[in-house]
Amino acid sequence: MTTLGYALFATRWLQAPLYFGLVAAQGVYVYKFFSELWKLVAHVISGQVDETHVMLAVLKLVDVVMIANLLIMVIIGGYETFVSRIGLQGHRDQPEWLSHVNSNVLKVKLATAIVGISSVHLLQMFVDVHHTPEHDLLWGTVIHMAFIGSALILAYMSGPMNAHEHGAKAHTKGGDPAPHPGAPEPGARPSGDDRGRSSGDAEPYGDGEDRYGGHGDPGAGREGRCGGLDRARGHGGDDASDEAAPTLVLPRPAVPERGVPEQRANGYGGAGQAASGTEARIAAAGFPARKELEAFDATRLRAPDPLVLDRLGRLDFVARRENVVFLGGPGTGKTHLAVALGVRACEAGRRVLFAPAPEWGARLRRAKEAGRLADELAALDAYALLVVDELGYVPFDPESANLFFQLVAHRYERASLIVTSDRPFGRWAEVFGDAGIASATVDRLVHHAEVVTLEGESYRARGLAGAAVGGWPGLDG
């Protein structure tokens, strides 16, 4: 930006005194509210008012409060949009609407607030209809309907404008970039031994290293699941609410043509089609099971603060192309949270890909062996969010460790990662087999990241100690 550009941009601070002036106006309305309230109480105590007058006085108080609310939206939302960021992210009292405020949202909210204020004024007229001229009633109704029409038009126009804005962000600020020419179709299965395997041929697998084919190559015998990142439906890894029973690997549902879900997610084609696009993205992501952030029981954990999870649920880290790392022991809910955030990203129109760490290593290793590693990394740029689950349960072989570092380095400040691990960063050298690669990976992963440590007992092991000591009901005697 040139010096002239900086100077012009700095002129936005000329608006700051205007917002402080509105703060003073807010103080005037506070004085007005308590003045009217004092008059009402005094009249009620003296018995000088009837029910109609009480209702009119209360409506006047409501009117003052609604105008004060309108001022708050203009002061906070306008300052945040046109002057400077306030930086309330994570604050427990952050208004819900402020996390996604922009000029379009602000205009619609102001329009609806004005409609509400006009409704109160019109109600005051009808309550006091015997003392209100017909001329005032007529024009009050006409003006109110004009406000309603204006709000409807603004709301209608804000849909395409928001869709256009989100589309621009997706191409310029780490959203869903256009798929790379060499990118595989979501849900497609690569060529290999497993390509023609039917669901009936898929072997069951349980927890630990056996899930990835024993102690050998974690990608061996899982070509289809690694290339297409198919996962066992119902197996939750470190999920806080999954059972540990073995399950079968099921084929992934077919995914509609590329581009169609993206248009539907932006609102073109109706709510039903948008929902269809969301479901297609969730199916293509390869989640082990569908999890919701609202279903996560954070009260059983000593850390983190639930407000941290609420902040992550707004997906600001995806828009900023930052990462999230969940660290904690088995059964603390790392996979649940990773999947839940991935599902939210899909619902927000983002493309997501999920797989355990060994599968990512195997996928990259096959790409390198085929001489297309650069194309594979570029193809993954089509996904705004990659989820790497269970880093540490199965150590990387030296080649996979190096390739995983290349994946992290490639997405650094370009797109987001969610990584879950049962080991603190100081022990990642055990996973990578090389302290230098582990240190370099952590350095790039956490530079722009939210690191969340889950502290608590395993969800799956609750009650296990008591059962081991006291026995199971019904087996005594």
Side-chain angles (χ1 to χ4, degrees):
M1 187 182 293
T2 64
T3 303
L4 179 60
Y6 276 116
L8 290 175
F9 185 58
T11 60
R12 72 191 191 281
W13 290 103
L14 292 175
Q15 293 191 51
L18 304 183
Y19 290 104
F20 285 105
L22 290 178
V23 172
Q26 182 89 328
V28 172
Y29 269 98
V30 171
Y31 171 79
K32 177 71 173 176
F33 178 88
F34 284 102
S35 175
E36 294 293 336
L37 180 61
W38 175 252
K39 291 179 183 178
L40 173 61
V41 172
H43 288 160
V44 170
I45 293 176
S46 64
Q48 299 177 3
V49 294
D50 54 18
E51 183 178 353
T52 300
H53 287 91
V54 171
M55 185 179 298
L56 288 172
V58 170
L59 286 175
K60 185 178 293 186
L61 294 176
V62 171
D63 187 28
V64 171
V65 170
M66 294 184 70
I67 295 177
N69 291 341
L70 177 62
L71 278 173
I72 284 292
M73 281 193 290
V74 174
I75 293 169
I76 299 178
Y79 187 90
E80 171 99 1
T81 302
F82 301 109
V83 179
S84 179
R85 291 284 185 184
I86 299 178
L88 290 177
Q89 287 77 11
H91 193 281
R92 64 180 183 179
D93 295 327
Q94 178 185 0
E96 180 275 332
W97 51 269
L98 189 60
S99 62
H100 51 268
V101 69
N102 55 42
S103 57
N104 291 325
V105 172
L106 191 59
K107 284 187 289 187
V108 172
K109 287 190 175 292
L110 292 179
T112 53
I114 291 172
V115 169
I117 294 170
S118 175
S119 300
V120 173
H121 283 173
L122 191 60
L123 182 58
Q124 285 178 299
M125 292 183 183
F126 280 106
V127 170
D128 197 26
V129 66
H130 298 297
H131 300 88
T132 305
E134 292 185 5
H135 178 272
D136 292 349
L137 280 175
L138 174 62
W139 281 106
T141 304
V142 171
I143 293 172
H144 180 63
M145 296 306 297
F147 284 144
I148 293 177
S150 301
L152 290 175
I153 293 173
L154 274 174
Y156 175 79
M157 293 176 61
S158 68
M161 294 173 72
N162 279 331
H164 176 75
E165 180 179 340
H166 292 327
K169 287 181 179 179
H171 286 85
T172 60
K173 293 188 177 181
D176 290 353
H180 187 273
E185 195 70 20
R189 303 177 74 88
S191 58
D193 296 334
D194 279 1
R195 181 176 53 190
R197 178 181 294 178
S198 65
S199 61
D201 296 329
E203 76 279 14
Y205 65 95
D207 287 337
E209 295 171 335
D210 290 341
R211 186 184 330 177
Y212 309 112
H215 294 273
D217 181 2
R222 294 175 56 85
E223 183 88 21
R225 284 190 296 279
C226 294
L229 295 179
D230 291 338
R231 292 281 287 148
R233 299 296 187 253
H235 176 80
D238 189 40
D239 198 298
S241 59
D242 287 347
E243 297 295 329
T247 55
L248 293 178
V249 178
L250 302 179
R252 180 180 301 150
V255 180
E257 294 182 29
R258 182 181 310 190
V260 175
E262 311 306 326
Q263 289 183 344
R264 289 173 179 170
N266 284 333
Y268 304 108
Q273 291 181 338
S276 175
T278 295
E279 294 305 317
R281 284 188 296 274
I282 292 174
F287 298 122
R290 184 165 182 165
K291 298 296 177 184
E292 304 295 339
L293 198 59
E294 294 78 6
F296 184 79
D297 182 12
T299 60
R300 62 185 178 81
L301 298 176
R302 294 185 296 273
D305 191 306
L307 292 176
V308 174
L309 305 182
D310 180 66
R311 181 176 69 249
L312 292 176
R314 300 188 186 114
L315 301 179
D316 292 338
F317 72 95
V318 178
R320 294 193 296 262
R321 294 168 284 183
E322 297 176 352
N323 305 320
V324 175
V325 182
F326 290 113
L327 302 177
T332 50
K334 302 184 297 295
T335 299
H336 185 130
L337 293 172
V339 171
L341 292 177
V343 169
R344 280 210 177 176
C346 290
E347 293 170 345
R350 309 300 184 106
R351 297 177 67 190
V352 181
L353 214 50
F354 175 103
E359 292 189 13
W360 284 110
R363 177 187 180 118
L364 297 173
R365 187 171 60 252
R366 286 195 309 277
K368 181 180 179 181
E369 292 171 354
R372 54 178 183 83
L373 178 61
D375 290 338
E376 181 73 7
L377 293 174
L380 292 174
D381 288 343
Y383 298 89
L385 178 62
L386 300 183
V387 182
V388 181
D389 193 30
E390 302 175 342
L391 181 68
Y393 285 97
V394 179
F396 284 130
D397 59 75
E399 184 178 16
S400 296
N402 183 274
L403 292 172
F404 184 76
F405 163 74
Q406 292 187 51
L407 173 65
V408 173
H410 178 81
R411 292 182 70 83
Y412 176 68
E413 296 185 335
R414 181 179 304 188
S416 296
L417 284 166
I418 293 179
V419 178
T420 75
S421 178
D422 67 328
R423 307 189 184 200
F425 294 127
R427 295 183 57 193
W428 278 26
E430 303 170 6
V431 182
F432 287 84
D434 185 295
I437 294 179
S439 177
T441 303
V442 171
D443 180 67
R444 284 164 176 78
L445 184 65
V446 304
H447 181 213
H448 303 295
E450 178 100 29
V451 179
V452 181
T453 301
L454 306 178
E455 298 179 3
E457 297 179 358
S458 169
Y459 181 92
R460 290 184 288 269
R462 286 190 303 177
L464 182 60
V469 173
W472 287 265
L475 296 182
D476 297 333

